[in-house]
């Protein structure tokens, strides 16, 4: 059928029209081959703009459409829908980005107008060769996998489970709770972290729709949106969960102590242990690295004293396979290792601690029962808190960790509560108290007597048995003595975020955290359809923001479940099996694990539901056996030639 093309140039208010002469571009487009009508309009994405296209399609019998406006990531779906509603296949549409690629990158009106003409001409040449394509619908499995059971994973799991849908909640540690379980009180309201968290943990543990898998790792993910297959390794606890009563006798009787991960070294645990009193599940785990039976074949004290006969040294890891339609990643954050900033003396000097270590010290149910003690067993009379350790520092992490100012101020308050009369000095770069009730909390802490010093200390030294913080203020070198120094360390991406990203096919931003699909308009989706992110794995944030994001991820999943089916993009790669040599280079290159190898026929195949149409396989195929629907050589060459107006 002979192409009859309509071209529509958007002003985007003054975003485009402020730089590009849109009338001139429309006039130019009118003269291009195949163009039946060309118009400009204030906002093509508005209802009148959309109706203008629909009316033209009908009245002028258009069979192809070009819109020159913003980025296709914003409005390509809008205009494809407009075409479809007016009876034109949505793939017979092309978009020219004359905003981000043109008006926003130059102030020169003439140059911008010429470039806009070139981009429109390219889109018109390309749309000539577009083929109608059909999208497919696949059904959505209503089960959901959530990886990570900190407050983000817990919140998302409860939202989905309370709506009547099954959740598999996988946590790699022996208990759920994440970092929030380690905190004492939470800013700015100072409510006890455990008091607000543990009821939710218990609810998760007993929820009929939540299958909790703690001490477990996801090993393999295959499939696509609506239909993922996941292999999970349930590591052996060497304790039978069904028999264990959680009485704790095994822990008491175990003679071997090691540093507790939960207490970040401030306290110790046994070789058989429950990480903390309110752990869910309340079932211990034997740490085979430190258990005398596993190391030397001796002891078995835990087994001897276990009345429930729950100890099982023969227990093996178990592989569980589950089918789910959607996945939420909620793997949280790691903490910056301050040994790298050697001048602060962490690991070298006594009484220099990290913020999380301080949380455990100040916690009433922590190893010191909330008694803040120096190494010599006395209480500190003065404490220095150094903000931004590893954050807002181009040598480490350029970003702001968003919670350190507030938790440091919280420490100022808690110190006074626990050690009356203590002097607290906060060394800050900038104070960021942006949230609800934060500024008020800052004023409160200041009124209580905490002294704020605007400086990034150059070092911490020991002088005459006392710690001394060195800093510069008003061009003058100064020193502040302190008995205890707390380093407010940065929140950073988990050490294994790269591996987790590869496993689930999701990207990371330059700061190492998982990358959302769109920071403003799609902040919990990822580039892998059906996989969402929630909480600090996406970037540092406080508990209220984490909970809000977890709710948003749950809402995305629930909307997918209630739709029941999902549309699969038609612009996917196609392998010509007659040409494919079976070299599998494409399989290695595919970032979405969308290519499989057929052993029998010795050729590669594309799973269309997984393929995102990125084209990596097309470029990498040495035999030219792969083409990409909607990005054929013919279309791309025409687009390039069209630029040469
Ligand atoms: C010292 C300190 C004090 C703070 N104080 C406050 C405060 O007072 N108020 C406030 O609002 N915020 C505070 N925060 C921030 C708060 O800790 C976070 O907002 C919150 O914990 C984020 O929850 P999350 O679930 O995203 O991550 P996490 O709490 O990190 O939970 C992630 C969970 O995922 C698990 N996991 C990780 N990787 C995997 C994997 N591959 N497979 C399975 N499971 C995995 C982890 O074991 C963990 O259980 C503080 C932070 C710090 C460091």
């Amino acid at each position: 059928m002979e192409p009859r093309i309509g071209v529509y140039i958007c002003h985007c208010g003054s975003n485009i029209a402020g730089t590009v002469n849109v009338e001139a571009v429309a006039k130019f487009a009118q003269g291009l081959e195949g163009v039946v009508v060309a118009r400009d309009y204030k906002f093509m994405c508005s209802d009148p703009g959309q109706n203008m296209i629909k009316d033209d399609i009908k009245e002028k019998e258009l069979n192809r459409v070009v819109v020159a406006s913003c980025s296709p990531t914003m409005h390509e779906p809008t205009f494809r829908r407009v075409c479809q509603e007016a009876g034109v296949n949505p793939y017979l549409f092309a978009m020219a980005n004359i905003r981000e690629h043109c008006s926003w990158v130059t102030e020169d009106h003439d140059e911008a107008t010429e470039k806009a003409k070139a981009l429109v001409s390219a889109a018109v040449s390309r749309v000539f060769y577009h083929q109608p394509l059909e999208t497919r619908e696949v059904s959505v499995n209503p089960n959901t996998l959530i990886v990570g059971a900190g407050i983000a994973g817990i919140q998302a799991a409860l939202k989905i489970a309370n709506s009547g849908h099954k959740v598999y909640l996988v946590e790699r540690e022996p208990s759920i709770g994440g970092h929030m379980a380690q905190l004492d009180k939470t800013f700015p309201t100072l409510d006890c972290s455990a008091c607000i968290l543990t009821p939710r943990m218990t609810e998760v543990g007993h929820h009929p729709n939540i299958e909790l898998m703690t001490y477990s790792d996801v090993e393999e993910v295959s499939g696509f949106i609506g239909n993922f297959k996941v292999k999970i390794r349930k590591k052996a606890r060497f304790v039978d969960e069904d028999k264990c009563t959680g009485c704790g006798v095994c822990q008491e009787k175990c003679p071997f102590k090691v540093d507790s991960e939960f207490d970040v070294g401030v306290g110790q645990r046994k070789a058989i242990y429950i990480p903390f009193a309110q752990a869910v599940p309340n079932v211990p785990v034997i740490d085979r690295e430190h258990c005398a039976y596993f190391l030397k074949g001796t002891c078995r004290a835990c087994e001897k004293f276990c009345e429930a006969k729950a100890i099982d040294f023969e227990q093996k890891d178990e592989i569980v396979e589950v089918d789910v339609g959607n996945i939420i990643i909620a793997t949280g954050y790691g903490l910056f290792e301050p040994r790298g900033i050697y001048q602060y003396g962490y690991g070298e000097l006594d009484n220099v601690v990290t913020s999380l270590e301080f949380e455990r010290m100040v916690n009433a149910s922590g190893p010191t029962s909330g008694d803040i003690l120096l190494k010599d067993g006395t209480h500190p009379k003065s404490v220095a808190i150094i903000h931004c350790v590893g954050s807002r520092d181009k040598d480490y992490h350029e970003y702001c960790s968003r919670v350190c100012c507030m938790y440091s101020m919280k420490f100022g308050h808690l110190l006074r509560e626990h050690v009356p009369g203590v002097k607290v000095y906060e060394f800050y770069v900038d104070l960021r108290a942006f949230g609800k009730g934060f500024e008020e909390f800052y004023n409160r802490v200041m009124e209580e007597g905490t002294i704020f010093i605007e400086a990034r200390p150059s070092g911490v030294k020991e002088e005459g048995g006392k710690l001394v913080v060195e800093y510069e203020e008003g061009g003058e070198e100064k020193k502040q003595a302190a008995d205890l120094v707390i380093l407010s360390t940065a929140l950073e991406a988990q050490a294994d975020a790269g591996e987790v990203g590869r496993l689930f096919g999701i990207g990371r931003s330059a700061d190492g955290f998982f990358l959302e699909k769109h920071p403003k308009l799609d902040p919990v989706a990822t580039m892998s359809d059906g996989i969402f992110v929630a909480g600090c794995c996406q970037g540092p944030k406080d508990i209220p923001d984490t909970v809000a994001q977890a709710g948003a991820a749950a809402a995305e999943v629930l909307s997918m479940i209630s739709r029941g089916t999902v549309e699969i993009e038609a612009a996917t790669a196609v392998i010509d099996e007659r040409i494919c040599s079976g070299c599998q280079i494409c399989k290695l290159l595919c970032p979405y694990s969308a290519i499989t190898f057929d052993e029998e026929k010795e050729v590669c195949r594309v799973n269309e539901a997984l393929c995102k149409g990125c084209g990596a396989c097309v470029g990498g195929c040495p035999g030219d056996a792969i083409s990409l629907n909607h990005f054929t050589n013919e279309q791309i060459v025409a687009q390039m030639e069209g630029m040469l107006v």
Side-chain angles (χ1 to χ4, degrees):
M1 197 198 298
E2 193 193 330
R4 292 180 61 79
I5 306 169
V7 180
Y8 300 89
I9 319 293
C10 181
H11 297 207
C12 194
S14 60
N15 275 306
I16 295 172
T19 319
V20 172
N21 182 340
V22 283
E23 292 84 5
V25 178
K27 201 167 162 210
F28 160 82
Q30 186 72 66
L32 294 171
E33 192 188 343
V35 174
V36 175
V37 59
R39 300 182 196 275
D40 62 276
Y41 186 65
K42 267 189 207 137
F43 290 104
M44 285 313 307
C45 60
S46 65
D47 276 354
Q50 294 183 32
N51 289 337
M52 181 191 289
I53 301 174
K54 284 185 193 168
D55 291 345
D56 280 354
I57 289 176
K58 284 181 194 140
E59 284 162 24
K60 301 186 186 301
E61 296 179 355
L62 304 180
N63 54 23
R64 278 165 172 71
V65 172
V66 169
V67 174
S69 58
C70 53
S71 161
T73 54
M74 302 293 293
H75 275 303
E76 190 172 57
T78 311
F79 297 116
R80 278 188 177 173
R81 186 183 38 76
V82 167
C83 290
Q84 189 158 32
E85 283 172 6
V88 170
N89 182 286
Y91 288 88
L92 297 177
F93 163 77
M95 200 157 173
N97 182 352
I98 59 166
R99 193 178 72 177
E100 286 86 340
H101 288 180
C102 186
S103 65
W104 276 359
V105 291
T106 179
E107 286 169 7
D108 185 318
H109 291 215
D110 292 339
E111 268 184 9
T113 305
E114 287 314 302
K115 184 169 180 190
K117 285 180 186 172
L119 290 170
V120 168
S121 163
V124 169
S125 303
R126 187 188 207 284
V127 86
F128 247 88
Y129 294 96
H130 279 198
Q131 297 291 329
L133 297 172
E134 293 308 322
T135 51
R136 286 190 306 122
E137 285 206 332
V138 293
S139 61
V140 173
N141 182 318
N143 300 339
T144 304
L145 171 76
I146 299 181
V147 187
I151 183 60
I154 289 173
Q155 181 74 9
L158 287 173
K159 288 268 176 229
I160 297 169
N162 286 337
S163 308
H165 300 289
K166 170 115 188 166
V167 174
Y168 297 99
L169 180 57
V170 176
E171 165 59 52
R172 70 175 168 196
E173 296 298 331
S175 170
I176 63 172
H179 283 102
M180 192 174 164
Q182 293 172 293
L183 308 181
D184 181 41
K185 291 182 179 170
T186 56
F187 64 75
T189 44
L190 295 174
D191 27 14
C192 145
S193 193
C195 308
I196 52 178
L197 176 68
T198 52
R200 298 210 167 176
M201 289 169 58
T202 314
E203 201 183 337
V204 162
H206 290 99
H207 205 294
N209 289 335
I210 300 179
E211 191 166 326
L212 182 57
M213 290 184 234
T214 49
Y215 209 42
S216 300
D217 289 315
V218 174
E219 291 216 321
E220 210 179 293
V221 183
S222 59
F224 47 89
I225 179 171
N227 300 275
F228 293 105
K229 276 197 183 305
V230 185
K231 269 192 196 157
I232 300 156
R233 178 180 293 272
K234 283 183 88 177
K235 290 176 279 187
R237 281 179 178 259
F238 306 106
V239 177
D240 187 328
E241 288 191 44
D242 295 330
K243 289 185 186 161
C244 176
T245 58
C247 67
V249 170
C250 54
Q251 298 192 94
E252 268 169 40
K253 300 295 177 187
C254 174
F256 300 101
K257 280 187 175 174
V258 288
D259 280 349
S260 153
E261 295 82 1
F262 184 79
D263 288 326
V264 278
V266 176
Q268 292 200 306
R269 63 161 170 84
K270 296 292 183 65
I272 181 166
Y273 68 104
I274 295 175
F276 54 103
Q278 307 97 319
V280 172
N282 186 28
V283 176
V285 56
I286 296 179
D287 166 7
R288 56 187 117 179
E289 307 277 307
H290 295 99
C291 167
Y293 174 70
F294 282 105
L295 293 176
K296 299 183 203 140
T298 57
C299 186
R300 300 179 85 125
C302 51
E303 187 182 45
K304 214 179 302 163
F305 289 97
C306 178
E307 283 188 10
K309 304 274 175 258
I311 306 295
D312 177 4
F313 287 108
E314 302 307 316
Q315 205 177 60
K316 298 271 176 300
D317 289 2
E318 196 187 331
I319 302 291
V320 181
E321 280 193 40
V322 299
D323 292 333
V324 295
N326 292 284
I327 298 174
I328 298 177
I329 310 289
T331 48
Y333 62 92
L335 280 164
F336 176 75
E337 164 55 73
R339 277 184 182 83
I341 308 184
Y342 67 91
Q343 57 274 32
Y344 286 162
Y346 180 76
E348 298 288 326
L349 301 175
D350 281 348
N351 302 317
V352 177
V353 300
T354 68
S355 46
L356 198 57
E357 287 167 5
F358 181 74
E359 285 281 355
R360 297 311 299 147
M361 283 166 96
V362 78
N363 197 304
S365 50
T368 58
S369 305
D371 206 4
I372 300 166
L373 296 173
L374 299 171
K375 276 272 151 52
D376 64 6
T378 61
H379 292 122
K381 293 190 180 61
S382 55
V383 179
I385 305 174
I386 303 181
H387 293 211
C388 294
V389 176
S391 303
R392 305 190 64 211
D393 183 337
K394 285 193 174 155
D395 289 335
Y396 304 99
H397 298 304
E398 194 176 352
Y399 58 80
C400 164
S401 288
R402 296 187 67 199
V403 291
C404 319
C405 282
M406 291 309 297
Y407 75 55
S408 300
M409 289 187 218
K410 172 182 80 175
F411 291 169
H413 172 86
L414 294 177
L415 274 158
R416 294 176 174 282
E417 207 174 77
H418 287 246
V419 190
V422 67
K423 281 208 150 41
V424 183
Y425 304 92
E426 304 241 5
F427 290 90
Y428 69 96
V429 181
D430 272 326
L431 276 176
R432 297 191 166 175
F434 57 89
K436 193 171 179 179
F438 287 12
E439 189 69 19
E440 294 87 331
F441 187 71
Y442 164 52
N443 289 331
R444 173 179 173 182
V445 172
M446 217 166 27
E447 277 157 24
E448 285 170 352
T450 294
I451 298 156
F452 288 87
I453 301 169
E454 189 180 353
R456 191 193 280 278
S458 54
V460 177
K461 299 247 163 67
E462 201 172 48
E463 284 181 12
K466 243 189 166 331
L467 294 174
V468 169
V469 178
E470 297 175 330
Y471 65 102
E472 196 192 290
E473 201 180 32
E476 210 185 309
E477 303 284 336
K478 292 189 175 174
K479 288 181 180 180
Q480 177 60 57
D483 296 326
L484 177 68
V485 172
I486 304 170
L487 305 179
S488 297
T489 45
L491 274 62
E492 59 184 19
Q494 291 277 15
D496 64 350
E499 279 163 50
V500 173
R502 274 189 293 282
L503 185 64
F504 291 94
I506 58 174
R508 296 197 294 155
S509 37
D511 55 17
F513 292 98
F514 294 131
L515 185 64
E516 62 288 329
K517 194 166 185 178
H518 191 287
K520 296 178 188 77
L521 301 176
D522 226 347
V524 295
T526 66
M527 291 306 283
S528 281
D529 295 338
I531 303 189
F532 303 92
V533 283
C536 287
C537 66
Q538 182 262 342
K541 51 182 72 69
D542 61 13
I543 295 162
D545 283 0
T546 298
V547 167
Q549 207 185 26
E556 293 277 358
V557 168
L558 288 172
S559 92
M560 201 88 87
I561 295 172
S562 75
R563 258 182 278 155
T565 57
V566 61
E567 208 170 75
I568 301 289
E569 170 64 49
T572 54
V574 185
I575 297 180
D576 187 336
E577 292 185 8
R578 294 166 307 171
I579 306 175
C580 176
S581 67
C583 70
Q584 301 184 54
I585 290 174
C586 54
K587 192 174 167 217
L588 289 175
L589 289 173
C590 177
Y592 303 102
S593 311
I595 297 181
T596 49
F597 182 62
D598 182 332
E599 301 277 351
E600 212 173 288
K601 292 192 171 174
E602 296 190 336
V603 292
C604 284
R605 292 238 162 78
V606 176
N607 181 337
E608 289 169 9
L610 279 180
C611 177
K612 297 277 171 296
C614 70
C617 57
V618 183
C621 176
D624 251 352
I626 315 180
S627 58
L628 193 57
N629 281 334
H630 208 53
F631 290 89
T632 62
N633 287 347
E634 210 178 23
Q635 290 163 356
I636 290 169
V637 169
Q639 186 172 10
M640 290 191 299
E641 285 175 353
M643 287 289 283
L644 309 171
V645 281

